[in-house]
Amino acid sequence: MCSIYMLVVAIVLPCCFEILSLNCGTLMKETLRYLAGIVGPSGYGSKSTAEQVANSCSYLVDSQRLTAIITGATSGIGEETARAVAKRGVRVVIPARDIKKAAELKERIRKDNPNAEVILCEIDLSSLASVKRFCNEFLALGLPLNILINNAGIFSQKLEFSEDKFEMTFATNYLGHYLLTEMLIQNMIETAEQTGIQGRIINLSSVIHSWVGRDCFHFNQMLHPINYNGTRAYAQSKLATILHAKEIAKQLKAKNANVTINAVHPGIVKTGIFRAHKGFITDSIFFIASKLLKSISQGASTSCYVALSPQVEGMSGKYFVDCNESNCSVLANDESEARRLWRQTRALIRRRLYQTPC
């Protein structure tokens, strides 16, 4: 049980430390800004909801039907993101491990918006073979792809391994999304060329990434940890998603591709990650931290903003919090670390799936 409490504290404390590091005048201002939901330069803030953001963001949604793939969309932030963008007329593809839950979500979306187009596919993000199979099935549909939201995430208190024999949190939160992006990115580049609409990839990260030091970020150790700690594994996976966004942004720019990739911190939201850890202490922690907590709709707002807002046009390799560009950790900004992680991941996947050298 200690791991889940440590995760809650680990997510809340960075916000507190950031505030406490400011001078008194700025401290008062930033505290009030967050608690009151005062908007930032984008016109949105911590209290903005996914529907508010989606409704006010055109990004040519009204002129053409966009297609979005959203992982982890059967609950929590992913479900709210899918609902909000579908309401704006975006065709939503939902890859899910639990097809029954995905079908129930489809019905809820269609009830809210009878004209919504929702496509369901099966995937297990912890399995490289399953991710590869989903990508091939999607590409066979011949659909364009404008938006890819790598939203799915898990937190595991105990050490578990995927079918590929990799630590489960890292496999699901990072490796699966790496392969998903790699296999679909050419489709996104071609879609952008054909339509003139910029493609957008969004990686869900977390402020907890800042708790990972260089000495705790070693690829092989993350794949096969010896002394496992759930909070550390979760933080490492979230740092990896930012580094992934940084490196892919550089590669897309070098190709002059009209596709961007950014990372977002949704905020402190009581989602399904914590749902299995109910109890007096957990509930007490959330009650005490209630002023910092967001609703699920507020948590989904930044994903919707980065996916749909014309204000984000051309921005790539950035980190967003509360629908505004923000700062990530020094390690998350390390270009050599991002490149190293990309190369190691690419080599691993080549060996595992294609039996070819990197």
Side-chain angles (χ1 to χ4, degrees), residues 161 166-168 170-171 212 216-225 233 236-237 240 341 344:
F161 289 96
F166 304 136
E167 190 278 313
M168 186 66 79
F170 196 68
V212 181
C216 292
F217 198 73
H218 301 287
F219 191 67
N220 289 331
Q221 291 179 16
M222 291 186 288
L223 293 174
H224 308 106
Q236 289 168 332
S237 73
L341 177 64
Q344 291 172 318

Side-chain angles (χ1 to χ4, degrees), residues 45-46 48-50 53 77 81 202 204 263-267 294 297-308 312 319-324:
S46 62
S48 299
T49 66
V53 171
I77 292 170
T81 302
I202 295 92
L204 266 286
V264 305
H265 166 52
K294 287 185 174 185
S297 184
Q298 290 167 347
S301 64
T302 305
S303 294
C304 291
Y305 173 74
V306 179
L308 300 175
V312 189
Y319 176 66
F320 290 83
V321 178
D322 296 335
C323 301
N324 287 275

Side-chain angles (χ1 to χ4, degrees), residues 98-146:
D98 189 332
I99 290 297
K100 181 180 178 181
K101 287 183 66 176
E104 292 170 352
L105 169 61
K106 180 177 180 178
E107 288 303 310
R108 289 195 295 273
I109 291 175
R110 293 293 299 273
K111 184 177 180 179
D112 192 36
N113 179 18
N115 296 321
E117 184 176 354
V118 181
I119 299 172
L120 308 181
C121 299
E122 189 171 358
I123 194 173
D124 178 355
L125 275 165
S126 71
S127 163
L128 296 177
S130 178
V131 174
K132 181 182 178 183
R133 184 163 52 249
F134 161 75
C135 290
N136 288 333
E137 290 174 357
F138 173 77
L139 293 172
L141 296 175
L143 292 173
L145 182 57
N146 308 93

Side-chain angles (χ1 to χ4, degrees), residues 7 155 208 212 216 225-237:
L7 178 60
F155 169 79
I208 197 178
V212 181
C216 292
I226 297 174
N227 298 312
Y228 180 77
N229 177 281
T231 302
R232 181 175 59 221
Y234 183 76
Q236 289 168 332
S237 73

Side-chain angles (χ1 to χ4, degrees), residues 188-247:
M188 297 190 71
I189 292 172
E190 293 171 0
T191 298
E193 288 176 348
Q194 294 164 6
T195 63
I197 300 175
Q198 187 175 83
R200 299 189 180 184
I201 304 169
I202 295 92
N203 284 357
L204 266 286
S205 184
S206 170
V207 69
I208 197 178
H209 81 272
S210 63
W211 279 47
V212 181
R214 198 176 299 275
D215 59 335
C216 292
F217 198 73
H218 301 287
F219 191 67
N220 289 331
Q221 291 179 16
M222 291 186 288
L223 293 174
H224 308 106
I226 297 174
N227 298 312
Y228 180 77
N229 177 281
T231 302
R232 181 175 59 221
Y234 183 76
Q236 289 168 332
S237 73
K238 292 305 180 179
L239 172 58
T241 64
I242 300 178
L243 291 169
H244 176 240
K246 298 281 186 181
E247 174 60 25

Side-chain angles (χ1 to χ4, degrees), residues 61-356:
V61 174
D62 295 325
S63 61
Q64 298 190 50
R65 165 150 283 192
L66 305 182
T67 300
I69 292 177
I70 305 173
T71 66
T74 57
S75 64
I77 292 170
E79 176 177 351
E80 180 62 16
T81 302
R83 189 192 67 79
V85 300
K87 202 168 183 179
R88 291 291 291 138
V90 177
R91 176 194 292 118
V92 178
V93 179
I94 299 176
R97 186 172 54 181
D98 189 332
I99 290 297
K100 181 180 178 181
K101 287 183 66 176
E104 292 170 352
L105 169 61
K106 180 177 180 178
E107 288 303 310
R108 289 195 295 273
I109 291 175
R110 293 293 299 273
K111 184 177 180 179
D112 192 36
N113 179 18
N115 296 321
E117 184 176 354
V118 181
I119 299 172
L120 308 181
C121 299
E122 189 171 358
I123 194 173
D124 178 355
L125 275 165
S126 71
S127 163
L128 296 177
S130 178
V131 174
K132 181 182 178 183
R133 184 163 52 249
F134 161 75
C135 290
N136 288 333
E137 290 174 357
F138 173 77
L139 293 172
L141 296 175
L143 292 173
L145 182 57
N146 308 93
I147 300 166
L148 171 61
I149 302 181
N150 293 321
N151 169 85
I154 66 166
F155 169 79
S156 179
Q157 292 189 74
K158 62 181 181 179
L159 177 60
E160 297 178 294
F161 289 96
S162 68
E163 69 175 37
D164 298 302
K165 310 304 180 186
F166 304 136
E167 190 278 313
M168 186 66 79
T169 301
F170 196 68
T172 304
N173 297 0
Y174 170 66
L175 293 177
H177 285 130
Y178 175 102
L179 180 58
L180 187 71
T181 303
E182 181 182 76
M183 291 192 66
L184 298 177
I185 201 165
Q186 186 57 38
N187 180 303
M188 297 190 71
I189 292 172
E190 293 171 0
T191 298
E193 288 176 348
Q194 294 164 6
T195 63
I197 300 175
Q198 187 175 83
R200 299 189 180 184
I201 304 169
I202 295 92
N203 284 357
L204 266 286
S205 184
S206 170
V207 69
I208 197 178
H209 81 272
S210 63
W211 279 47
V212 181
R214 198 176 299 275
D215 59 335
C216 292
F217 198 73
H218 301 287
F219 191 67
N220 289 331
Q221 291 179 16
M222 291 186 288
L223 293 174
H224 308 106
I226 297 174
N227 298 312
Y228 180 77
N229 177 281
T231 302
R232 181 175 59 221
Y234 183 76
Q236 289 168 332
S237 73
K238 292 305 180 179
L239 172 58
T241 64
I242 300 178
L243 291 169
H244 176 240
K246 298 281 186 181
E247 174 60 25
I248 299 302
K250 283 184 62 179
Q251 294 182 18
L252 288 167
K253 183 178 180 180
K255 294 177 181 178
N256 199 30
N258 190 22
V259 177
T260 63
I261 178 169
N262 292 288
V264 305
H265 166 52
I268 310 164
V269 184
K270 190 174 182 180
T271 63
I273 286 179
F274 302 107
R275 198 167 293 134
H277 308 286
K278 292 181 178 179
F280 175 75
I281 299 177
T282 305
D283 291 343
S284 297
I285 291 173
F286 274 107
F287 177 77
I288 294 169
S290 63
K291 294 301 181 182
L292 293 174
L293 292 177
K294 287 185 174 185
S295 68
I296 289 176
S297 184
Q298 290 167 347
S301 64
T302 305
S303 294
C304 291
Y305 173 74
V306 179
L308 300 175
S309 175
Q311 296 181 51
V312 189
E313 185 81 15
M315 298 179 71
S316 195
K318 306 298 184 182
Y319 176 66
F320 290 83
V321 178
D322 296 335
C323 301
N324 287 275
E325 185 181 351
S326 188
N327 297 318
C328 51
S329 71
V330 173
L331 185 55
N333 275 315
D334 189 322
E335 293 184 1
S336 62
E337 193 68 54
R339 183 66 176 175
R340 183 182 303 109
L341 177 64
W342 177 82
R343 284 176 172 167
Q344 291 172 318
T345 309
R346 184 174 184 270
L348 175 74
I349 289 176
R350 290 292 181 276
R351 291 194 304 269
R352 179 68 58 168
L353 287 183
Y354 308 109
Q355 288 80 49
T356 60

